[in-house]
Amino acid sequence: MRILLVGAGGVGGAFTAIAARRDFYEAIVIADYSAERAEKAAAADERFTAAQIDATSKDAVAALCREHRITHVMNAVDPVFNMSIFDGAFEAGADYVDMAMSLSKPHPEAPYEKTGVKLGDEQFAVADRWEAAGRLALVGMGVEPGLSDVFARYAADHLFSEIDELGTRDGANLVVTDDNGNEIFAPSFSMWTTIEECLNPPVIWEDGEWFTTAPFSEPEVFDFPEGIGPVECVNVEHEEVLLMPRWVDCRRATFKYGLGDEFINILKVLHTLGLDSTEKVRVKGVEVSPRDVVAAVLPDPATVGPRMKGKTCAGLLVTGKGKDGLPRKSYLFHVVDNETVMADYGHQCVVWQTAINPVVALELVARGTWSGAGVLGPEAFDAVPFLDLLTEYGSPWGQKELS
Amino acid sequence: MRILLVGAGGVGGAFTAIAARRDFYEAIVIADYSAERAEKAAAADERFTAAQIDATSKDAVAALCREHRITHVMNAVDPVFNMSIFDGAFEAGADYVDMAMSLSKPHPEAPYEKTGVKLGDEQFAVADRWEAAGRLALVGMGVEPGLSDVFARYAADHLFSEIDELGTRDGANLVVTDDNGNEIFAPSFSMWTTIEECLNPPVIWEDGEWFTTAPFSEPEVFDFPEGIGPVECVNVEHEEVLLMPRWVDCRRATFKYGLGDEFINILKVLHTLGLDSTEKVRVKGVEVSPRDVVAAVLPDPATVGPRMKGKTCAGLLVTGKGKDGLPRKSYLFHVVDNETVMADYGHQCVVWQTAINPVVALELVARGTWSGAGVLGPEAFDAVPFLDLLTEYGSPWGQKELS
């Protein structure tokens, strides 16, 4: 296996740190728009080489694949670049893995009732071509989507005879402090993407169809495990809702993000003022996008790791009937403690938790344990070898019965 | 009287519209950084002429005064320009009127306990020079400060034998709608200045000294008259607290602004994120001040008038003992209805209410009813002729006994 990693940012950097300890591949070409950043990441292992890339160019992606005889393209950049990387990999005859799917567009008339272009629609539209060519595009293979989807398949195969709801629930108790030890507001993930996710109309699957609601709908306090405790969660647009029902039978699929009161309030205020907008405004002789300004005033999520404490939890709440036919409610989860992974890998927990899952998946593909053709989500594959290998990596998952 | 009006923005424009109906002056030179804006305002009356000015230059202000034989300089620009206009007027031998005082600087070590440089300190520092030269600088002569200070003098002279607190209370029930009739967030006053006022440490006068508190301190719901109703008010840094105790005996002086829950929350979020900052940040190749971006995404307060409904109230809550020695609590106030002044003057109520007061004051000065030398606040003069002339202008004040 010869991997082209596109993107040496937060998640890309953590991917290389985790992959450096494994031996399932022959080479990783680390490509970034910044050659300097690529070179810095490539210095960590002799199987790594650096390259510069413009991820908006399908041809540049294909050319780099051919130059380095790439067998698998790992997409670790913002999903806005998905289609050029996805198409470039196909053109060069490489398999493809990403951690977020092609972007949605709200319904023009009824954005908070009906879906418009859904997450992943552009990628699923060409699934036939991938299948006919015998090539694999493994989409949404981070932690959420990704591990959450593996949990869905595991629940269907081994825990439930009938599933009512597959409800991804994500929450954390992370706290960032400034140099004086005072708690500050510093998102652990890209503020630009968080605004995008949280202000897009959340999508829900119910009784065989997808529909949307207003942002922040159906607030619910979920009690997260391992000391994280109760966090207010709201519906957010996320890939799981589009992926799970394609392979796993369920009446309902939802994604709720544990933003907490403070973050929800901040996002609402940004929206009220129009500071979430990506359209440029003229400000004293220059033009800027308000959302870029919001991202610029906050600490860079890639730099907050050393000043952050707490745990992050990704998981899936499954309700329905157990194998015995009795009502069952189980939460399958994966918790990462920031101080542990900072000490062990030098990467903060949120990006580290995202990055470990595609490394595990690629190792299963390299072994031949996972194989297939087409545009497939993680739930299209057997969950057990994935969960076992994740545990072998030293990062076990958990299960909690709630009724 | 020959007036130099510096600033043809919202308040300056309303000043000319009100002054155009009066005959106490010979000429008004309307000067603005934008010659076009000055010319537009000057077209309204044959006694008006337009000029271009750089208000940061004391010499430019003095030169314009000499060129047009100016007797009174009316400052209607942002208080950041106060000192050059104030000094330029003095240099040219003109009297001076403003509606906000020279800016404060927080105490370097204890910003929320002790005062640093106070509002108006720079102006009061040279009061002796103005007095010795026999020149008048009438400072803080808008609505708040301004009319509120006139109320303080009236209360002391005619209603109270002993004053416990002079508490300015400002509130409104203004609502702005978009083209589809949906309520939108659109401040009726400069967002830049509102952030400055509301996030600076609020100053309080008590038992003979000034001190500061944290922003948004001492929240109180005040029931405003004429149908406005209850609004949540918080302490805000304002000139009244610095002016009133210099001329009117009182145990305590405060200023509380009826921001309402929503606006307070918005200001807190902007502060949490650092979007209130005036220091430039680098955003994708350009440099901008976050606070300028916030102001730029919101509708221009000068343009919201036609889409705004409701009333604004400026007033002074006075507690103490009446002339009869019994406990007394009176609210002296001035309410302006937006639709009324939009129809009559074409200017929205908040800027109109600010602008009418210096016109009244200048008319009293022109008549010789108000006279003096030095740096003086509105409470240094007899309140009765002011309140009578305000009523004669068609905009009466009110009084309400609260106990």
Side-chain angles (χ1 to χ4, degrees):
Chain A
M1 178 178 278
R2 298 179 60 83
I3 301 166
L4 169 63
L5 171 68
V6 184
V11 178
F15 178 95
T16 60
I18 297 162
R21 303 192 186 176
R22 308 300 298 184
D23 59 8
F24 63 87
Y25 58 90
E26 184 188 329
I28 300 180
V29 177
I30 303 169
D32 197 280
Y33 188 74
S34 155
E36 195 190 329
R37 193 153 75 162
E39 274 155 26
K40 211 174 142 193
D45 194 289
E46 56 183 11
R47 295 166 296 170
F48 298 170
T49 50
Q52 198 276 339
I53 195 168
D54 174 3
T56 64
S57 163
K58 175 182 78 161
D59 295 339
V61 173
L64 208 53
C65 285
R66 292 195 184 102
E67 184 189 340
H68 293 277
R69 294 175 293 115
I70 295 302
T71 59
H72 293 77
V73 173
M74 176 70 226
N75 176 357
V77 292
D78 193 283
V80 78
F81 302 112
N82 262 27
M83 291 315 293
S84 48
I85 300 170
F86 176 79
D87 289 341
F90 184 81
E91 198 174 293
D95 285 359
Y96 168 90
V97 180
D98 67 28
M99 295 171 279
M101 296 177 68
S102 58
L103 295 175
S104 64
K105 274 187 205 141
H107 190 281
E109 279 103 44
Y112 301 139
E113 293 167 38
K114 297 175 186 171
T115 58
V117 176
K118 300 187 299 302
L119 289 172
D121 274 1
E122 278 188 90
Q123 289 175 294
F124 283 119
V126 293
D128 287 354
R129 288 210 304 156
W130 283 76
E131 204 176 342
R135 301 254 58 84
L136 171 64
L138 171 52
V139 293
M141 190 60 254
V143 60
E144 283 174 346
L147 180 53
S148 45
D149 301 80
V150 171
F151 286 146
R153 175 65 184 265
Y154 182 81
D157 287 354
H158 303 284
L159 307 177
F160 286 77
S161 59
E162 200 184 308
I163 293 177
D164 182 43
E165 179 166 344
L166 292 169
T168 310
R169 297 291 182 269
D170 177 290
N173 64 352
L174 299 167
V175 168
V176 178
T177 49
D178 65 14
D179 295 340
N180 304 317
N182 299 314
E183 203 172 311
I184 58 169
F185 179 76
S188 52
F189 200 70
S190 157
M191 188 64 178
W192 199 101
T193 306
T194 304
I195 291 174
E196 180 76 17
E197 283 186 350
C198 297
L199 295 179
N200 273 352
V203 60
I204 290 173
W205 165 268
E206 201 174 277
D207 297 326
E209 56 184 11
W210 285 290
F211 65 93
T212 58
T213 73
F216 312 115
S217 60
E218 300 181 5
E220 146 191 343
V221 174
F222 186 76
D223 192 8
F224 288 90
E226 299 198 12
I228 294 174
V231 182
E232 178 153 347
C233 299
V234 289
N235 279 324
V236 162
E237 180 194 51
H238 230 254
E239 286 86 347
E240 286 90 331
V241 177
L242 287 316
L243 287 172
M244 291 175 183
R246 290 175 199 260
W247 288 278
V248 181
D249 246 5
C250 61
R251 198 188 67 79
R252 202 166 196 263
T254 56
F255 180 97
K256 289 192 182 178
Y257 192 18
L259 286 165
D261 306 354
E262 188 196 6
F263 208 151
I264 292 171
N265 179 42
I266 285 171
L267 290 167
K268 284 181 178 175
V269 166
L270 292 175
H271 184 58
T272 297
L273 301 185
L275 288 166
D276 57 321
S277 170
T278 56
E279 262 176 56
K280 290 193 173 183
V281 291
R282 194 148 191 91
V283 182
K284 297 204 169 169
V286 300
E287 292 205 331
V288 285
S289 129
R291 195 191 291 183
D292 286 340
V293 176
V294 173
V297 295
L298 293 172
D300 180 352
T303 68
V304 298
R307 295 183 284 150
M308 189 158 75
K309 278 193 180 167
K311 294 173 180 173
T312 187
C313 177
L316 183 70
L317 177 64
V318 191
T319 52
K321 286 183 184 158
K323 292 293 183 196
D324 54 7
L326 296 174
R328 182 169 195 173
K329 190 173 184 180
S330 308
Y331 186 59
L332 314 185
F333 61 90
H334 184 248
V335 170
V336 179
D337 176 69
N338 189 63
E339 284 177 289
T340 306
V341 289
M342 278 304 297
D344 194 4
Y345 286 87
H347 290 269
Q348 54 105 317
C349 59
V350 177
V351 297
W352 188 90
Q353 192 184 36
T354 304
I356 189 172
N357 292 288
V359 183
V360 171
L362 281 163
E363 182 155 352
L364 293 177
V365 170
R367 289 180 186 179
T369 313
W370 275 17
S371 66
V375 177
L376 304 178
E379 49 283 273
F381 302 89
D382 186 2
V384 174
F386 187 99
L387 295 172
D388 287 349
L389 186 53
L390 184 65
T391 302
E392 193 191 311
Y393 272 49
S395 193
W397 61 290
Q399 183 180 329
K400 200 174 153 183
E401 294 307 307
L402 298 174
S403 71
Chain B
M1 178 179 277
R2 298 178 60 83
I3 301 167
L4 169 63
L5 172 68
V6 185
V11 179
F15 179 95
T16 60
I18 297 161
R21 304 192 186 176
R22 309 299 299 183
D23 59 8
F24 63 86
Y25 58 90
E26 186 188 326
I28 301 179
V29 176
I30 303 169
D32 197 280
Y33 188 74
S34 154
E36 194 190 330
R37 192 152 76 161
E39 274 155 27
K40 211 174 143 192
D45 193 289
E46 57 183 12
R47 295 166 298 171
F48 298 171
T49 50
Q52 198 277 339
I53 196 169
D54 174 3
T56 64
S57 163
K58 173 182 79 163
D59 295 339
V61 173
L64 207 53
C65 285
R66 291 193 185 103
E67 184 189 340
H68 293 276
R69 294 174 294 114
I70 295 302
T71 60
H72 294 77
V73 173
M74 176 70 226
N75 176 357
V77 292
D78 193 284
V80 78
F81 302 112
N82 261 28
M83 293 314 292
S84 48
I85 301 170
F86 177 79
D87 289 342
F90 185 80
E91 199 174 294
D95 285 0
Y96 168 90
V97 180
D98 67 28
M99 295 171 279
M101 296 177 68
S102 57
L103 296 175
S104 65
K105 274 186 205 144
H107 190 281
E109 279 104 45
Y112 302 139
E113 293 167 37
K114 297 174 186 173
T115 57
V117 176
K118 299 188 300 302
L119 288 173
D121 274 2
E122 278 188 273
Q123 290 175 294
F124 283 119
V126 293
D128 287 354
R129 288 209 303 156
W130 284 77
E131 203 176 344
R135 300 254 59 84
L136 171 64
L138 171 52
V139 294
M141 190 61 254
V143 59
E144 284 174 345
L147 180 53
S148 46
D149 301 80
V150 171
F151 286 144
R153 176 64 183 268
Y154 182 81
D157 287 354
H158 303 284
L159 306 177
F160 285 77
S161 60
E162 200 184 308
I163 292 176
D164 182 45
E165 179 166 342
L166 292 169
T168 310
R169 297 291 181 270
D170 177 291
N173 64 353
L174 299 168
V175 168
V176 179
T177 49
D178 65 15
D179 296 339
N180 304 318
N182 299 314
E183 204 173 310
I184 58 169
F185 180 74
S188 52
F189 200 70
S190 156
M191 188 64 178
W192 199 101
T193 306
T194 304
I195 291 174
E196 179 76 17
E197 282 186 352
C198 297
L199 295 178
N200 273 351
V203 60
I204 290 172
W205 165 268
E206 201 174 277
D207 297 328
E209 56 184 11
W210 285 289
F211 65 93
T212 58
T213 73
F216 312 114
S217 60
E218 300 181 5
E220 146 191 341
V221 174
F222 186 75
D223 192 7
F224 288 90
E226 299 198 13
I228 294 174
V231 182
E232 177 153 348
C233 299
V234 290
N235 280 323
V236 161
E237 180 193 52
H238 229 255
E239 286 86 346
E240 286 91 331
V241 177
L242 287 316
L243 287 172
M244 291 174 182
R246 289 175 201 258
W247 288 279
V248 181
D249 247 6
C250 61
R251 197 188 67 78
R252 201 167 197 262
T254 57
F255 180 96
K256 288 192 182 176
Y257 193 17
L259 286 165
D261 306 354
E262 188 196 6
F263 208 151
I264 292 171
N265 179 42
I266 285 171
L267 290 167
K268 284 181 176 172
V269 165
L270 292 175
H271 185 58
T272 297
L273 301 185
L275 287 167
D276 58 320
S277 170
T278 56
E279 262 177 56
K280 290 193 172 182
V281 290
R282 195 148 189 91
V283 182
K284 299 206 168 167
V286 300
E287 293 205 331
V288 284
S289 129
R291 195 192 291 184
D292 285 340
V293 176
V294 173
V297 295
L298 293 173
D300 180 351
T303 68
V304 299
R307 296 183 284 151
M308 189 158 74
K309 277 191 180 173
K311 294 173 179 175
T312 187
C313 177
L316 183 71
L317 177 64
V318 191
T319 53
K321 286 183 183 157
K323 292 293 184 197
D324 54 8
L326 296 174
R328 181 168 196 172
K329 189 173 186 181
S330 308
Y331 185 59
L332 314 184
F333 62 90
H334 184 248
V335 170
V336 180
D337 176 69
N338 189 63
E339 285 178 288
T340 306
V341 289
M342 278 304 297
D344 195 4
Y345 286 86
H347 290 269
Q348 53 106 314
C349 59
V350 177
V351 297
W352 188 90
Q353 192 184 35
T354 305
I356 190 173
N357 292 288
V359 183
V360 170
L362 281 163
E363 181 153 353
L364 293 176
V365 170
R367 290 180 185 178
T369 313
W370 275 17
S371 67
V375 177
L376 304 179
E379 49 283 272
F381 302 89
D382 187 1
V384 174
F386 187 98
L387 295 172
D388 288 349
L389 187 53
L390 183 65
T391 302
E392 194 191 309
Y393 272 50
S395 192
W397 60 290
Q399 183 180 330
K400 201 175 154 182
E401 295 306 308
L402 299 174
S403 71

